[in-house]
Amino acid sequence: MPELPDVETFRKYLNRTGLNRKIKACRVENKKVLKGITPKELEKKLKDDKFTKTLRQGKYLFAALKKNGFLVVHFGMTGYLKYFKNGNVLPPHSRVVINFTNGHSLAYSNQRLLGKIALVSSFRDFIQRKNLGPDALEIDYPYFKEGVKNSRSTIKSLLMNQEFMAGVGNIYSDEILYRSKIYPGLNNSKIGEKDTKKIFNAMRAVLATAIERKADPSKLPSAWLLPHRNRGESCPKCKGKIKKKKISGRSAYFCPECQKKR
DNA sequence: AGTACCACCTGACGGC
DNA sequence: TGCCGTCAGGTGGTAC
């Protein structure tokens, strides 16, 4: 479920498992996840190098290499990292596997192959090329307020707009709006100062809490929408039925009682 | 500018 | 049981 909190959790996981260890070998199991590099090239570049630090912006993870720039990792809808002991069976849907000299390996798993792995010399250039906005946890309130003011889309669409700010996706945008008691299809031109502030605060709180709980759905507060984000389930607050509706092309879940259209 | 629709992929699920 | 349509947390392109 790779949105900002998930990717931040992967970043910390990579820090614990893969940093400052010599890479013995790399093997590409499915080249569809590679962007702008061939399996041979990637395998050659990673061999004998090591990761020195990690960075994240939005849903992109960057792992700095000592010699060869940055490994860029994007998780799509089904990607994750798994550290395992050599000799064990590969994690399911392993697409790229990195062996360290300590007898362990790190797998990039991705069932649906929608994620991407690349190698770039500058992560700033990469971000610029992608037109990626500042990270959702890095922006300040004036920036957010200005964005709402200048936008004529729905609030859900703005929250998920990676050029405006990076990191919030379909699930967490729903959570942020549920906690703000705002209807996801509300047009930004109808959102006043008070609600703008409420949404901004909810965004920070939701992302911070989710990171704290390692983005594990079973550990998220039961008062949140996320554990009940299914058709037919009840709102934890008013016990009304959660509704599903397509908004700006994505399935939005919300409580019609708590999030009135106004 | 914003939205709708399609594409990229695999796999789970419900209806018949 | 088996087949089929639909849906899923990602991005990116095209057409209105």
Side-chain angles (χ1 to χ4, degrees), chain A residues 57 60 62 120 122-134 162-163:
Chain A
Q57 182 155 332
Y60 286 90
F62 302 89
V120 299
S122 154
F123 74 93
R124 288 186 200 287
D125 287 354
F126 175 85
I127 284 163
Q128 212 157 43
R129 252 201 329 279
K130 289 270 173 200
N131 236 332
L132 197 64
Q162 304 297 302
E163 295 183 19

Side-chain angles (χ1 to χ4, degrees), chain A residues 33-37 42 70-74 116-120 126:
Chain A
V33 298
L34 299 190
K35 179 85 177 172
I37 191 165
L42 183 69
F70 295 83
L71 190 72
V72 185
V73 186
H74 190 273
K116 283 279 173 281
I117 284 190
L119 203 59
V120 299
F126 175 85

Side-chain angles (χ1 to χ4, degrees), chain A residues 165-177:
Chain A
M165 64 175 188
V168 175
N170 199 27
I171 291 268
Y172 283 97
S173 63
D174 279 356
E175 189 64 53
I176 290 161
L177 295 170

Side-chain angles (χ1 to χ4, degrees), chain A residues 4-16:
Chain A
L4 188 153
D6 311 272
V7 179
E8 179 63 11
T9 304
F10 298 148
R11 189 184 72 79
K12 289 175 175 164
Y13 185 77
L14 176 55
N15 281 354
R16 291 200 304 278

Side-chain angles (χ1 to χ4, degrees), chain A residues 68-180:
Chain A
N68 282 307
F70 295 83
L71 190 72
V72 185
V73 186
H74 190 273
F75 295 91
M77 289 169 83
T78 52
Y80 64 93
L81 298 176
K82 180 73 186 172
Y83 187 65
F84 66 101
K85 204 170 150 88
N86 289 352
N88 288 8
V89 53
L90 287 189
H93 314 293
S94 291
R95 307 308 189 189
V96 176
V97 180
I98 295 167
N99 312 125
F100 299 105
T101 52
N102 71 348
H104 285 67
S105 297
L106 190 65
Y108 168 79
S109 164
N110 198 327
Q111 182 200 104
R112 285 177 66 189
L113 298 171
L114 295 179
K116 283 279 173 281
I117 284 190
L119 203 59
V120 299
S121 52
S122 154
F123 74 93
R124 288 186 200 287
D125 287 354
F126 175 85
I127 284 163
Q128 212 157 43
R129 252 201 329 279
K130 289 270 173 200
N131 236 332
L132 197 64
D135 189 77
L137 278 176
E138 296 293 323
I139 65 168
D140 57 15
Y141 179 59
Y143 178 89
F144 185 76
K145 189 170 83 173
E146 200 59 15
V148 174
K149 201 181 99 187
N150 295 332
S151 164
R152 257 145 304 282
S153 73
T154 63
I155 179 62
K156 179 175 174 67
S157 173
L158 180 67
L159 290 175
M160 293 197 301
N161 182 339
Q162 304 297 302
E163 295 183 19
F164 170 54
M165 64 175 188
V168 175
N170 199 27
I171 291 268
Y172 283 97
S173 63
D174 279 356
E175 189 64 53
I176 290 161
L177 295 170
Y178 175 74
R179 307 225 58 73
S180 312

